[in-house]
Amino acid sequence: MIGLIVTLLVVGLVAGALARLLVPGNQPMSILSTMALGIVGSFVGGFLGYVLFHKDAEQGFFQPAGLIGSVIGAVIVLLIWTRVGARTSGRIR
């Protein structure tokens, strides 16, 4: 169980960092926020992978396709986050 949690955190950090590198613009996020972005992106990528391809984690937890899906999901979450954040921050000022 501890190994699963550590793997989830490491994959989340890597996916979040790659998503921040791929999305243009400045994202003022801490390391913990980047990790949370990657973890949420992993769930989004896994859900989209299941919806599109009807595959599950039957062949193991740690797969290269899962890492790619995590990065794609994190990019989607980051794009939504920056668009919603830009819209709400403009109203406050």
Coordinates of all heavy atoms in Angstrom, one line a residue:
M1 N 0.8 -1.2 0.0 CA 0.0 0.0 0.0 C 0.9 1.3 0.0 O 0.5 2.2 -0.7 CB -0.9 -0.1 1.2 CG -1.9 1.1 1.3 SD -3.0 0.9 -0.1 CE -4.2 2.1 0.3
I2 N 1.9 1.2 0.8 CA 2.8 2.4 0.8 C 3.5 2.6 -0.5 O 3.7 3.7 -1.0 CB 3.9 2.2 1.9 CG1 3.2 2.1 3.3 CG2 4.9 3.3 1.9 CD1 3.2 3.3 4.1
G3 N 3.9 1.5 -1.2 CA 4.5 1.6 -2.5 C 3.5 2.2 -3.5 O 4.0 3.0 -4.4
L4 N 2.3 1.9 -3.4 CA 1.3 2.5 -4.3 C 1.2 4.0 -4.1 O 1.1 4.7 -5.1 CB -0.1 1.8 -4.1 CG -1.3 2.3 -4.9 CD1 -1.0 2.1 -6.4 CD2 -2.6 1.7 -4.5
I5 N 1.1 4.4 -2.9 CA 1.0 5.8 -2.6 C 2.3 6.6 -3.1 O 2.2 7.6 -3.7 CB 0.8 6.0 -1.1 CG1 -0.6 5.5 -0.7 CG2 0.9 7.5 -0.7 CD1 -0.8 5.4 0.8
V6 N 3.5 6.0 -2.8 CA 4.7 6.7 -3.3 C 4.7 6.7 -4.8 O 5.1 7.8 -5.4 CB 5.9 5.9 -2.7 CG1 7.2 6.4 -3.4 CG2 6.0 6.1 -1.2
T7 N 4.3 5.6 -5.5 CA 4.3 5.6 -6.9 C 3.3 6.7 -7.4 O 3.6 7.4 -8.4 CB 3.9 4.2 -7.4 OG1 4.8 3.3 -7.0 CG2 3.9 4.2 -9.0
L8 N 2.1 6.8 -6.8 CA 1.1 7.8 -7.2 C 1.7 9.2 -7.1 O 1.5 10.0 -7.9 CB -0.1 7.6 -6.4 CG -1.3 8.5 -6.7 CD1 -1.8 8.2 -8.1 CD2 -2.4 8.3 -5.7
L9 N 2.4 9.4 -6.0 CA 3.0 10.8 -5.7 C 4.1 11.1 -6.8 O 4.1 12.2 -7.3 CB 3.5 10.9 -4.3 CG 2.5 10.8 -3.2 CD1 3.1 10.9 -1.8 CD2 1.5 12.0 -3.3
V10 N 4.9 10.1 -7.0 CA 6.0 10.4 -8.0 C 5.5 10.6 -9.4 O 5.9 11.5 -10.1 CB 7.1 9.2 -7.9 CG1 8.1 9.3 -9.1 CG2 7.8 9.2 -6.6
V11 N 4.6 9.7 -9.8 CA 4.0 9.8 -11.1 C 3.2 11.1 -11.2 O 3.3 11.8 -12.2 CB 3.1 8.6 -11.5 CG1 2.2 8.9 -12.7 CG2 3.9 7.4 -11.7
G12 N 2.5 11.5 -10.2 CA 1.8 12.8 -10.1 C 2.7 14.0 -10.3 O 2.5 14.9 -11.0
L13 N 3.9 13.9 -9.6 CA 4.9 15.0 -9.7 C 5.4 15.1 -11.1 O 5.5 16.2 -11.7 CB 6.0 14.8 -8.7 CG 7.0 15.9 -8.7 CD1 6.4 17.3 -8.3 CD2 8.1 15.5 -7.7
V14 N 5.8 14.0 -11.7 CA 6.4 14.0 -13.1 C 5.3 14.4 -14.1 O 5.6 15.3 -14.9 CB 6.9 12.5 -13.4 CG1 7.3 12.5 -14.9 CG2 8.1 12.2 -12.5
A15 N 4.1 13.9 -14.0 CA 3.0 14.3 -14.9 C 2.7 15.8 -14.8 O 2.5 16.5 -15.8 CB 1.8 13.4 -14.7
G16 N 2.6 16.3 -13.6 CA 2.3 17.7 -13.4 C 3.4 18.6 -13.9 O 3.2 19.6 -14.5
A17 N 4.7 18.2 -13.7 CA 5.8 19.0 -14.1 C 5.9 19.0 -15.7 O 6.1 20.0 -16.3 CB 7.1 18.4 -13.6
L18 N 5.6 17.8 -16.3 CA 5.6 17.8 -17.8 C 4.4 18.6 -18.3 O 4.6 19.3 -19.3 CB 5.5 16.4 -18.2 CG 6.8 15.5 -18.1 CD1 6.5 14.1 -18.5 CD2 7.9 16.1 -19.0
A19 N 3.3 18.6 -17.6 CA 2.2 19.4 -18.1 C 2.5 20.9 -18.0 O 2.1 21.7 -18.9 CB 0.9 19.1 -17.3
R20 N 3.1 21.3 -16.9 CA 3.5 22.7 -16.8 C 4.5 23.1 -17.8 O 4.5 24.3 -18.3 CB 4.1 23.0 -15.4 CG 3.0 22.9 -14.3 CD 3.5 23.3 -13.0 NE 4.0 24.6 -13.0 CZ 4.7 25.1 -12.0 NH1 5.0 24.4 -10.9 NH2 5.1 26.4 -12.0
L21 N 5.4 22.2 -18.3 CA 6.3 22.5 -19.3 C 5.7 22.6 -20.7 O 6.1 23.4 -21.5 CB 7.4 21.4 -19.4 CG 8.5 21.5 -18.3 CD1 9.4 20.2 -18.4 CD2 9.3 22.7 -18.4
L22 N 4.6 21.8 -20.9 CA 4.0 21.8 -22.2 C 3.0 22.9 -22.4 O 2.8 23.4 -23.5 CB 3.2 20.4 -22.4 CG 4.1 19.2 -22.5 CD1 3.3 17.9 -22.5 CD2 5.0 19.3 -23.8
V23 N 2.4 23.4 -21.3 CA 1.4 24.5 -21.4 C 2.1 25.8 -21.4 O 2.8 26.1 -20.4 CB 0.3 24.4 -20.3 CG1 -0.6 25.6 -20.3 CG2 -0.5 23.1 -20.4
P24 N 1.9 26.7 -22.4 CA 2.6 27.9 -22.4 C 2.0 28.9 -21.3 O 0.9 28.8 -20.9 CB 2.3 28.5 -23.8 CG 1.1 27.8 -24.3 CD 1.1 26.5 -23.6
G25 N 2.9 29.8 -20.9 CA 2.4 30.8 -19.9 C 3.0 30.5 -18.5 O 3.7 29.4 -18.3
N26 N 2.8 31.4 -17.6 CA 3.3 31.2 -16.2 C 2.3 30.7 -15.3 O 1.2 31.2 -15.3 CB 3.8 32.6 -15.7 CG 4.4 32.5 -14.4 OD1 4.9 31.5 -14.0 ND2 4.5 33.6 -13.7
Q27 N 2.6 29.6 -14.7 CA 1.7 28.9 -13.7 C 2.4 29.0 -12.3 O 3.2 28.2 -12.0 CB 1.4 27.5 -14.0 CG 0.8 27.3 -15.4 CD 1.8 26.9 -16.4 OE1 2.9 26.5 -16.1 NE2 1.4 27.1 -17.7
P28 N 2.0 30.0 -11.5 CA 2.6 30.1 -10.2 C 2.1 29.0 -9.3 O 1.1 29.2 -8.6 CB 2.2 31.5 -9.7 CG 0.9 31.8 -10.5 CD 1.0 31.1 -11.8
M29 N 2.7 27.9 -9.3 CA 2.3 26.7 -8.5 C 3.5 26.2 -7.6 O 4.6 26.2 -8.1 CB 1.8 25.6 -9.4 CG 0.6 26.0 -10.2 SD 0.2 24.7 -11.4 CE -0.7 23.6 -10.3
S30 N 3.1 25.7 -6.5 CA 4.2 25.1 -5.6 C 4.4 23.6 -6.1 O 3.7 23.1 -7.0 CB 3.7 25.1 -4.2 OG 2.6 24.3 -4.0
I31 N 5.3 23.0 -5.5 CA 5.6 21.6 -5.8 C 4.4 20.7 -5.4 O 4.0 19.8 -6.2 CB 6.9 21.1 -5.1 CG1 8.1 21.8 -5.7 CG2 7.1 19.6 -5.2 CD1 9.4 21.5 -5.0
L32 N 3.8 21.0 -4.3 CA 2.6 20.2 -3.9 C 1.5 20.4 -4.8 O 0.7 19.5 -5.1 CB 2.2 20.6 -2.4 CG 3.2 20.1 -1.4 CD1 2.7 20.6 0.0 CD2 3.3 18.6 -1.3
S33 N 1.3 21.7 -5.3 CA 0.2 21.9 -6.3 C 0.5 21.2 -7.6 O -0.4 20.7 -8.3 CB 0.1 23.4 -6.5 OG -0.3 24.1 -5.4
T34 N 1.8 21.2 -8.0 CA 2.2 20.5 -9.2 C 1.9 19.0 -9.1 O 1.4 18.3 -10.0 CB 3.7 20.7 -9.5 OG1 3.9 22.1 -9.7 CG2 4.1 20.0 -10.8
M35 N 2.2 18.4 -7.9 CA 1.9 17.0 -7.6 C 0.4 16.7 -7.6 O 0.0 15.7 -8.2 CB 2.5 16.6 -6.2 CG 2.5 15.1 -6.0 SD 3.3 14.8 -4.4 CE 4.9 15.4 -4.6
A36 N -0.4 17.6 -7.0 CA -1.8 17.5 -7.0 C -2.4 17.6 -8.5 O -3.3 16.8 -8.8 CB -2.5 18.5 -6.1
L37 N -1.8 18.5 -9.3 CA -2.2 18.6 -10.7 C -1.9 17.3 -11.4 O -2.8 16.8 -12.1 CB -1.4 19.7 -11.3 CG -1.5 19.8 -12.9 CD1 -2.9 20.2 -13.3 CD2 -0.5 20.7 -13.4
G38 N -0.8 16.7 -11.2 CA -0.5 15.4 -11.8 C -1.4 14.2 -11.4 O -1.8 13.4 -12.2
I39 N -1.7 14.2 -10.1 CA -2.6 13.2 -9.6 C -4.0 13.3 -10.1 O -4.6 12.3 -10.6 CB -2.6 13.2 -8.0 CG1 -1.2 12.7 -7.5 CG2 -3.6 12.2 -7.5 CD1 -1.0 13.0 -6.0
V40 N -4.5 14.5 -10.1 CA -5.8 14.7 -10.7 C -5.8 14.4 -12.2 O -6.7 13.8 -12.8 CB -6.3 16.1 -10.5 CG1 -7.6 16.5 -11.2 CG2 -6.5 16.3 -9.0
G41 N -4.7 14.8 -12.9 CA -4.5 14.5 -14.3 C -4.4 13.0 -14.6 O -4.9 12.5 -15.6
S42 N -3.9 12.3 -13.7 CA -3.8 10.8 -13.8 C -5.2 10.2 -13.8 O -5.5 9.3 -14.6 CB -3.0 10.2 -12.7 OG -1.6 10.6 -12.8
F43 N -6.0 10.7 -12.9 CA -7.4 10.2 -12.9 C -8.2 10.6 -14.1 O -8.9 9.8 -14.7 CB -8.1 10.7 -11.6 CG -7.7 10.0 -10.4 CD1 -7.0 10.6 -9.4 CD2 -7.9 8.6 -10.2 CE1 -6.5 10.0 -8.2 CE2 -7.5 7.9 -9.0 CZ -6.8 8.6 -8.1
V44 N -8.0 11.8 -14.6 CA -8.7 12.3 -15.8 C -8.2 11.5 -17.0 O -9.0 11.0 -17.8 CB -8.5 13.8 -16.0 CG1 -8.9 14.3 -17.4 CG2 -9.2 14.6 -14.9
G45 N -6.9 11.3 -17.1 CA -6.3 10.5 -18.2 C -6.8 9.1 -18.2 O -7.1 8.5 -19.2
G46 N -6.8 8.5 -17.0 CA -7.3 7.1 -16.8 C -8.8 7.0 -17.2 O -9.2 6.0 -17.9
F47 N -9.6 8.0 -16.8 CA -11.0 7.9 -17.1 C -11.2 8.1 -18.6 O -12.0 7.3 -19.3 CB -11.7 9.0 -16.4 CG -13.2 9.2 -16.8 CD1 -14.1 8.2 -16.3 CD2 -13.6 10.2 -17.6 CE1 -15.4 8.3 -16.7 CE2 -14.9 10.3 -17.9 CZ -15.8 9.4 -17.5
L48 N -10.5 9.0 -19.2 CA -10.6 9.2 -20.7 C -10.1 8.0 -21.5 O -10.7 7.6 -22.5 CB -9.8 10.5 -21.1 CG -10.4 11.8 -20.7 CD1 -9.5 12.9 -21.2 CD2 -11.8 12.0 -21.3
G49 N -9.0 7.4 -21.0 CA -8.5 6.1 -21.6 C -9.5 5.0 -21.5 O -9.7 4.3 -22.5
Y50 N -10.2 4.9 -20.4 CA -11.2 3.9 -20.2 C -12.4 4.1 -21.1 O -13.0 3.2 -21.8 CB -11.7 3.8 -18.8 CG -12.8 2.7 -18.6 CD1 -12.4 1.4 -18.6 CD2 -14.1 3.1 -18.4 CE1 -13.4 0.4 -18.5 CE2 -15.1 2.1 -18.2 CZ -14.7 0.8 -18.3 OH -15.7 -0.2 -18.1
V51 N -12.8 5.4 -21.2 CA -14.0 5.8 -22.0 C -13.7 5.6 -23.5 O -14.5 5.0 -24.3 CB -14.4 7.2 -21.8 CG1 -15.4 7.7 -22.8 CG2 -15.0 7.4 -20.4
L52 N -12.5 5.9 -24.0 CA -12.2 5.8 -25.4 C -11.8 4.4 -25.8 O -12.2 4.0 -26.9 CB -11.0 6.8 -25.7 CG -11.4 8.3 -25.6 CD1 -10.1 9.1 -25.8 CD2 -12.4 8.7 -26.5
F53 N -11.0 3.7 -25.0 CA -10.5 2.4 -25.4 C -11.0 1.2 -24.7 O -10.7 0.1 -25.0 CB -9.0 2.5 -25.3 CG -8.3 3.6 -26.1 CD1 -7.7 4.6 -25.4 CD2 -8.4 3.6 -27.4 CE1 -7.1 5.7 -26.1 CE2 -7.8 4.7 -28.1 CZ -7.2 5.7 -27.5
H54 N -11.9 1.5 -23.7 CA -12.5 0.4 -22.9 C -11.4 -0.6 -22.3 O -11.6 -1.8 -22.3 CB -13.5 -0.4 -23.7 CG -14.6 0.5 -24.2 ND1 -15.5 1.1 -23.3 CD2 -14.9 0.9 -25.4 CE1 -16.3 1.8 -24.1 NE2 -16.0 1.7 -25.3
K55 N -10.3 0.0 -21.9 CA -9.2 -0.8 -21.2 C -9.2 -0.5 -19.8 O -9.6 0.6 -19.3 CB -7.9 -0.5 -21.8 CG -7.7 -0.9 -23.3 CD -7.6 -2.4 -23.5 CE -7.5 -2.7 -24.9 NZ -7.5 -4.1 -25.2
D56 N -8.8 -1.4 -19.0 CA -8.7 -1.2 -17.5 C -7.2 -1.5 -17.1 O -6.4 -1.8 -17.9 CB -9.6 -2.1 -16.8 CG -10.1 -1.5 -15.5 OD1 -9.5 -0.6 -15.0 OD2 -11.1 -2.1 -15.0
A57 N -6.9 -1.4 -15.8 CA -5.6 -1.7 -15.3 C -5.4 -3.2 -15.1 O -4.7 -3.6 -14.2 CB -5.4 -1.0 -14.0
E58 N -5.9 -4.0 -16.0 CA -5.8 -5.5 -15.9 C -4.3 -5.9 -16.1 O -3.9 -7.0 -15.6 CB -6.7 -6.2 -16.9 CG -8.1 -5.9 -16.6 CD -9.0 -6.4 -17.7 OE1 -8.5 -6.9 -18.8 OE2 -10.2 -6.4 -17.6
Q59 N -3.6 -5.2 -16.9 CA -2.2 -5.6 -17.3 C -1.2 -5.0 -16.4 O 0.0 -5.0 -16.7 CB -1.9 -5.3 -18.7 CG -2.8 -6.1 -19.6 CD -3.1 -5.4 -20.9 OE1 -3.0 -4.2 -21.0 NE2 -3.5 -6.2 -21.9
G60 N -1.5 -4.4 -15.3 CA -0.6 -3.9 -14.4 C -0.8 -2.4 -14.1 O -1.4 -1.7 -14.9
F61 N -0.3 -1.9 -13.0 CA -0.5 -0.5 -12.6 C 0.4 0.4 -13.4 O 0.0 1.5 -13.8 CB -0.3 -0.4 -11.1 CG -0.5 1.0 -10.6 CD1 -1.8 1.5 -10.6 CD2 0.5 1.7 -10.2 CE1 -2.0 2.8 -10.1 CE2 0.3 3.0 -9.7 CZ -1.0 3.5 -9.7
F62 N 1.7 0.1 -13.5 CA 2.7 1.0 -14.0 C 2.9 0.7 -15.5 O 3.6 -0.3 -15.8 CB 3.9 0.9 -13.2 CG 4.9 2.0 -13.5 CD1 4.7 3.3 -13.1 CD2 6.1 1.7 -14.2 CE1 5.6 4.2 -13.4 CE2 7.0 2.6 -14.4 CZ 6.8 3.9 -14.0
Q63 N 2.4 1.4 -16.4 CA 2.6 1.2 -17.8 C 3.0 2.5 -18.5 O 2.5 3.6 -18.1 CB 1.3 0.7 -18.5 CG 0.8 -0.6 -17.9 CD -0.5 -1.0 -18.5 OE1 -1.0 -0.4 -19.5 NE2 -1.2 -1.9 -17.9
P64 N 3.7 2.5 -19.6 CA 4.1 3.7 -20.3 C 2.8 4.5 -20.8 O 2.7 5.7 -20.8 CB 4.9 3.3 -21.5 CG 5.5 2.0 -21.0 CD 4.5 1.4 -20.1
A65 N 1.8 3.7 -21.3 CA 0.6 4.4 -21.8 C -0.1 5.1 -20.6 O -0.7 6.1 -20.9 CB -0.3 3.3 -22.4
G66 N 0.0 4.6 -19.4 CA -0.6 5.2 -18.3 C 0.1 6.5 -18.0 O -0.5 7.5 -17.6
L67 N 1.4 6.6 -18.1 CA 2.2 7.8 -17.9 C 1.8 8.9 -19.0 O 1.6 10.0 -18.6 CB 3.7 7.5 -18.0 CG 4.2 6.7 -16.8 CD1 5.7 6.4 -17.1 CD2 4.1 7.4 -15.5
I68 N 1.6 8.4 -20.2 CA 1.3 9.4 -21.3 C -0.2 9.9 -21.0 O -0.4 11.1 -21.2 CB 1.4 8.7 -22.6 CG1 2.8 8.4 -22.9 CG2 0.8 9.6 -23.7 CD1 3.0 7.4 -24.1
G69 N -1.1 9.0 -20.6 CA -2.4 9.4 -20.3 C -2.4 10.4 -19.1 O -3.2 11.3 -19.0
S70 N -1.5 10.2 -18.1 CA -1.4 11.1 -17.0 C -1.0 12.5 -17.4 O -1.6 13.5 -16.9 CB -0.5 10.5 -15.9 OG -0.9 9.3 -15.4
V71 N -0.1 12.5 -18.3 CA 0.4 13.8 -18.8 C -0.7 14.5 -19.6 O -0.9 15.7 -19.4 CB 1.7 13.7 -19.6 CG1 2.1 15.0 -20.3 CG2 2.8 13.2 -18.7
I72 N -1.4 13.8 -20.4 CA -2.5 14.4 -21.2 C -3.6 14.9 -20.3 O -4.1 16.0 -20.5 CB -3.0 13.3 -22.3 CG1 -1.9 13.1 -23.3 CG2 -4.3 13.8 -22.9 CD1 -2.2 12.0 -24.3
G73 N -3.9 14.1 -19.3 CA -4.9 14.5 -18.4 C -4.5 15.7 -17.6 O -5.3 16.6 -17.3
A74 N -3.2 15.8 -17.2 CA -2.7 16.9 -16.4 C -2.7 18.2 -17.3 O -3.0 19.3 -16.8 CB -1.3 16.6 -15.9
V75 N -2.4 18.0 -18.6 CA -2.5 19.2 -19.5 C -3.9 19.7 -19.6 O -4.2 20.9 -19.6 CB -1.9 18.8 -20.9 CG1 -2.3 19.9 -21.9 CG2 -0.4 18.6 -20.8
I76 N -4.9 18.8 -19.7 CA -6.3 19.2 -19.8 C -6.7 19.9 -18.5 O -7.3 21.0 -18.6 CB -7.2 17.9 -20.1 CG1 -6.9 17.4 -21.5 CG2 -8.6 18.3 -19.9 CD1 -7.5 16.1 -21.7
V77 N -6.4 19.4 -17.4 CA -6.7 20.0 -16.1 C -6.0 21.4 -16.0 O -6.7 22.3 -15.5 CB -6.3 19.1 -14.9 CG1 -6.5 19.8 -13.6 CG2 -7.2 17.8 -15.0
L78 N -4.8 21.5 -16.4 CA -4.1 22.7 -16.3 C -4.7 23.8 -17.2 O -4.8 24.9 -16.8 CB -2.6 22.5 -16.6 CG -1.7 23.7 -16.4 CD1 -1.8 24.3 -15.0 CD2 -0.2 23.4 -16.7
L79 N -5.0 23.4 -18.4 CA -5.7 24.3 -19.3 C -7.0 24.8 -18.8 O -7.3 26.0 -18.8 CB -5.9 23.7 -20.7 CG -4.6 23.5 -21.5 CD1 -4.9 22.7 -22.8 CD2 -4.0 24.8 -21.9
I80 N -7.8 23.9 -18.2 CA -9.0 24.4 -17.6 C -8.8 25.3 -16.4 O -9.4 26.3 -16.2 CB -9.9 23.1 -17.2 CG1 -10.4 22.4 -18.4 CG2 -11.1 23.5 -16.3 CD1 -11.0 21.0 -18.2
W81 N -7.8 24.9 -15.6 CA -7.5 25.7 -14.4 C -7.0 27.1 -14.8 O -7.4 28.1 -14.1 CB -6.4 25.0 -13.6 CG -6.0 25.7 -12.4 CD1 -5.0 26.6 -12.2 CD2 -6.6 25.5 -11.1 NE1 -4.9 27.0 -10.9 CE2 -5.9 26.4 -10.2 CE3 -7.7 24.8 -10.6 CZ2 -6.3 26.5 -8.9 CZ3 -8.1 25.0 -9.3 CH2 -7.4 25.8 -8.4
T82 N -6.2 27.2 -15.8 CA -5.7 28.6 -16.2 C -6.8 29.4 -16.8 O -6.8 30.6 -16.6 CB -4.5 28.5 -17.1 OG1 -4.8 27.7 -18.3 CG2 -3.3 27.8 -16.4
R83 N -7.7 28.8 -17.5 CA -8.8 29.6 -18.2 C -9.8 30.0 -17.1 O -10.2 31.1 -17.1 CB -9.5 28.7 -19.2 CG -8.6 28.3 -20.4 CD -8.0 29.4 -21.1 NE -7.1 29.0 -22.2 CZ -5.8 29.1 -22.2 NH1 -5.2 29.7 -21.3 NH2 -5.1 28.6 -23.2
V84 N -10.1 29.1 -16.2 CA -11.1 29.5 -15.1 C -10.4 30.5 -14.2 O -11.0 31.5 -13.7 CB -11.6 28.3 -14.4 CG1 -12.3 28.6 -13.1 CG2 -12.4 27.4 -15.3
G85 N -9.1 30.3 -13.8 CA -8.4 31.2 -13.0 C -8.3 32.6 -13.6 O -8.4 33.6 -12.9
A86 N -8.0 32.7 -14.9 CA -7.8 34.0 -15.5 C -9.2 34.7 -15.6 O -9.2 35.9 -15.4 CB -7.3 33.8 -17.0
R87 N -10.3 34.0 -15.7 CA -11.6 34.6 -15.8 C -12.0 35.2 -14.4 O -12.5 36.3 -14.4 CB -12.6 33.6 -16.3 CG -13.9 34.2 -16.7 CD -14.9 33.3 -17.2 NE -14.4 32.0 -17.8 CZ -15.0 30.9 -17.7 NH1 -16.2 30.8 -17.2 NH2 -14.5 29.8 -18.2
T88 N -11.7 34.4 -13.4 CA -12.1 34.9 -12.1 C -11.2 35.9 -11.5 O -11.6 36.8 -10.8 CB -12.2 33.7 -11.1 OG1 -11.0 33.0 -11.0 CG2 -13.3 32.7 -11.5
S89 N -9.9 35.9 -11.8 CA -9.0 36.9 -11.3 C -9.3 38.3 -12.0 O -9.0 39.3 -11.4 CB -7.6 36.5 -11.5 OG -7.2 36.4 -12.9
G90 N -9.8 38.3 -13.2 CA -10.1 39.6 -13.8 C -11.3 40.2 -13.2 O -11.4 41.5 -13.2
R91 N -12.2 39.5 -12.6 CA -13.4 40.1 -12.0 C -13.1 40.7 -10.6 O -13.7 41.6 -10.1 CB -14.4 39.0 -11.8 CG -15.0 38.6 -13.1 CD -16.1 37.5 -12.9 NE -16.5 36.9 -14.1 CZ -17.2 35.8 -14.2 NH1 -17.5 35.2 -13.1 NH2 -17.5 35.3 -15.4
I92 N -12.1 40.1 -9.9 CA -11.8 40.6 -8.5 C -11.2 41.9 -8.5 O -11.4 42.8 -7.7 CB -10.9 39.5 -7.8 CG1 -11.7 38.2 -7.7 CG2 -10.5 40.0 -6.5 CD1 -10.9 37.1 -7.1
R93 N -10.3 42.2 -9.5 CA -9.6 43.5 -9.5 C -10.5 44.6 -9.8 O -11.2 45.1 -10.1 CB -8.5 43.4 -10.5 CG -7.4 42.4 -10.0 CD -6.3 42.4 -11.0 NE -5.4 41.3 -10.7 CZ -4.3 41.2 -11.2 NH1 -3.8 42.0 -12.0 NH2 -3.5 40.2 -10.8

